[in-house]
Amino acid sequence: MPPVSIQDVRVIATQPAGSRLLIVKVLTSEDGLYGVGCATFTQRFHAVIAAVEKHLKPFLIGRDVSRIEEIWQMSMTHGYWRNGPVLSNAVSGVDQALWDIKGKRAGMPVYELLGGKCREAAAVYVHAGGNSPEAVSNSVQRFMDEGCRYIRCQMGGYGGGAPRIPKPDGAPDGAYYDRREYARGVLRMFERVRKDVGGEVELLHDIHERLHPIEAVQLAKDVERFKLFFLEDPLAPEDLDWFRNIRQQCATPIAMGELFNNPREWQPLIADRLIDFIRMHVSQMGGLTPARHVAAFANMFGVRTAWHGPGDTSPVGHAANLHLDLWAPNFGIQEWCRFNDLVYEIFPGTPEVRNGYMYPNNGSGLGIDVNEELAAKYPCKDAVEQWTQTRLPDGSPARP
């Protein structure tokens, strides 16, 4: 019998909530057999659509769907330049779809193909927020009442917001914040939360690269007394050498990786044990194929996984995360964003969370599908992002 081959590759673009979501659908020569994968790059979704439809699709038509590793390797090198966010997201969508197809052909969930379960469900962390320490504490308590045991705390959004920043005359619009005030606010926030809820719940925080490296070192030291589960993204990918300074000065667990594209960004941090959790965006790094390699590599150095799982990871991407979580011996925690009912309707099979755990369903492959007719009713809207136009008090551009 001839091999099952790729017959078509399509992109489904939809925006049922705040984020623009991209799903790659790979159709095969076997009637009714297809796979879906997440290629979401919400800020540059048009570029990813073009990469899939104009470049990857002609390259992929007619190829054997079973040769996932070869297809991934050739897809990454076929464009000559590699390890960029647009291409990596495009390749990821195809890669996840091929794993979905392989699982459907085998009649097994993807986690079985990876090596089987190490656990029945994946513990998740959720996002508590508010504009004051009291509001954040109340949000944490509500999540605890729902059975959540891992809770990320953010006050005023990334960087703490800027309600009191005096701007220079003529300063441009933007998402302003003050690094020093933000760092002071984090300490006030955790003092209140720990006072109110005690030490049993696991607390997390995302710096989101908003500090200078030396300020990130200081904050990592300052929050040590609050016994965080981890401190997320304290540094930008451009400042990786500073992780050694953090490690030398405190025992605050560090999670890093959601902006990483190039393996040289994550390899040294893992091999030198400079971080405790690796948390790349599986769609950003190229899909399940590289993610399983990274998880196995990190396991050798005692680094745990904490894959990126915000609202701009589609439900298909969350399903891919979950299969990795169930399999990986070094699973740490999974970020969860709490989708609305409409998203569950568009994406039947979206993982469900109960009492702080994310559970798989019994479906083969990734166990998730897309209602294309309903998704089409919520097309992606063009917009110029505001939250990534971050500025310091004097109006200087800053990393988001």
Side-chain angles (χ1 to χ4, degrees):
M1 294 179 61
V4 176
S5 62
I6 298 173
Q7 294 295 293
D8 195 11
V9 181
R10 299 196 287 108
V11 180
I12 302 164
T14 187
Q15 191 175 1
S19 297
R20 293 169 286 270
L21 307 177
L22 297 183
I23 308 302
V24 172
K25 186 171 186 178
V26 175
L27 294 94
T28 75
S29 58
E30 183 175 310
D31 188 39
L33 177 63
Y34 62 86
V36 293
C38 179
T40 299
F41 183 179
T42 195
Q43 292 86 359
R44 296 291 183 267
F45 72 102
H46 286 300
V48 176
I49 293 173
V52 173
E53 295 184 343
K54 301 300 184 182
H55 300 292
L56 284 180
K57 177 179 174 177
F59 166 75
L60 292 167
I61 296 299
R63 293 182 182 266
D64 184 345
V65 297
S66 69
R67 303 181 69 155
I68 297 176
E69 186 73 40
E70 181 196 39
I71 288 174
W72 188 89
Q73 296 288 344
M74 292 300 294
S75 295
M76 290 298 289
T77 58
H78 182 248
Y80 184 59
W81 278 279
R82 55 192 180 272
N83 297 317
V86 172
L87 176 62
S88 291
N89 275 276
V91 171
S92 178
V94 172
D95 181 77
Q96 292 178 34
L98 292 177
W99 277 99
D100 189 28
I101 291 168
K102 187 174 284 287
K104 289 174 178 176
R105 294 183 72 193
M108 295 180 179
V110 166
Y111 62 74
E112 293 287 4
L113 304 180
L114 295 173
K117 289 182 183 178
C118 276
R119 55 199 58 80
E120 293 304 311
V124 300
Y125 73 84
V126 292
H127 303 164
N131 290 322
S132 68
E134 295 78 16
V136 175
S137 182
N138 290 337
S139 180
V140 169
Q141 186 62 65
R142 287 193 295 271
F143 280 123
M144 292 174 64
D145 292 342
E146 295 176 9
C148 299
R149 295 170 299 282
Y150 300 84
I151 303 172
R152 196 184 78 177
C153 302
Q154 306 290 142
M155 188 170 70
Y158 297 129
R164 299 186 301 274
I165 291 178
K167 305 173 187 175
D169 294 341
D173 292 336
Y176 280 76
Y177 74 100
D178 185 303
R179 288 183 174 121
R180 304 286 285 179
E181 175 58 27
Y182 155 62
R184 290 189 291 266
V186 170
L187 301 182
R188 293 194 300 269
M189 175 186 69
F190 278 121
E191 285 171 354
R192 177 59 186 261
V193 173
R194 278 296 186 214
K195 177 177 180 293
D196 290 349
V197 305
E200 298 304 313
V201 65
E202 298 289 356
L203 301 179
L204 305 81
H205 179 70
D206 185 0
I207 292 179
H208 221 264
E209 311 175 15
R210 293 299 178 97
L211 298 175
H212 275 305
I214 193 62
E215 295 167 341
V217 175
Q218 181 67 62
L219 185 60
K221 292 173 61 178
D222 289 343
V223 300
E224 189 173 17
R225 67 184 187 271
F226 300 117
K227 308 297 182 185
L228 300 188
F229 186 73
F230 67 56
L231 185 63
E232 180 181 334
D233 286 0
L235 301 166
E238 296 86 350
D239 295 320
L240 299 185
D241 290 341
W242 280 85
F243 276 102
R244 196 171 302 278
N245 297 74
I246 295 177
R247 187 61 100 210
Q248 290 170 344
Q249 298 198 43
C250 71
T252 298
I254 300 299
M256 184 64 186
E258 73 182 62
L259 286 181
F260 286 170
N261 289 293
N262 194 307
R264 288 300 299 162
E265 293 171 317
W266 60 73
Q267 287 170 355
L269 297 183
I270 293 171
D272 291 343
R273 295 181 171 91
L274 297 177
I275 58 173
D276 303 277
F277 296 86
I278 194 71
R279 48 172 287 99
M280 275 84 81
H281 190 94
V282 171
S283 299
Q284 170 83 343
M285 67 186 297
L288 281 163
T289 295
R292 68 172 180 147
H293 294 324
V294 170
F297 176 61
N299 186 48
M300 294 189 292
F301 295 94
V303 175
R304 290 177 280 176
T305 66
W307 304 115
H308 193 220
D312 53 0
T313 293
S314 76
V316 176
H318 281 275
N321 287 344
L322 178 57
H323 285 269
L324 290 166
D325 297 337
L326 297 174
W327 153 74
N330 54 326
F331 167 72
I333 194 71
Q334 178 59 59
E335 182 179 16
W336 177 238
C337 65
R338 298 165 63 91
F339 289 115
N340 62 31
D341 291 341
L342 175 60
V343 173
Y344 278 90
E345 190 175 354
I346 293 175
F347 295 94
T350 295
E352 294 188 6
V353 174
R354 303 188 300 274
N355 200 33
Y357 286 101
M358 184 187 294
Y359 289 87
N361 54 46
N362 295 320
S364 58
L366 293 177
I368 191 168
D369 206 346
V370 184
N371 182 331
E372 294 187 58
E373 183 177 351
L374 183 56
K377 295 181 180 180
Y378 301 90
C380 293
K381 300 175 182 177
D382 288 318
V384 177
E385 297 287 348
Q386 296 298 315
W387 77 270
T388 52
Q389 297 185 52
T390 48
R391 296 184 183 276
L392 302 180
D394 66 356
S396 300
R399 292 172 180 141

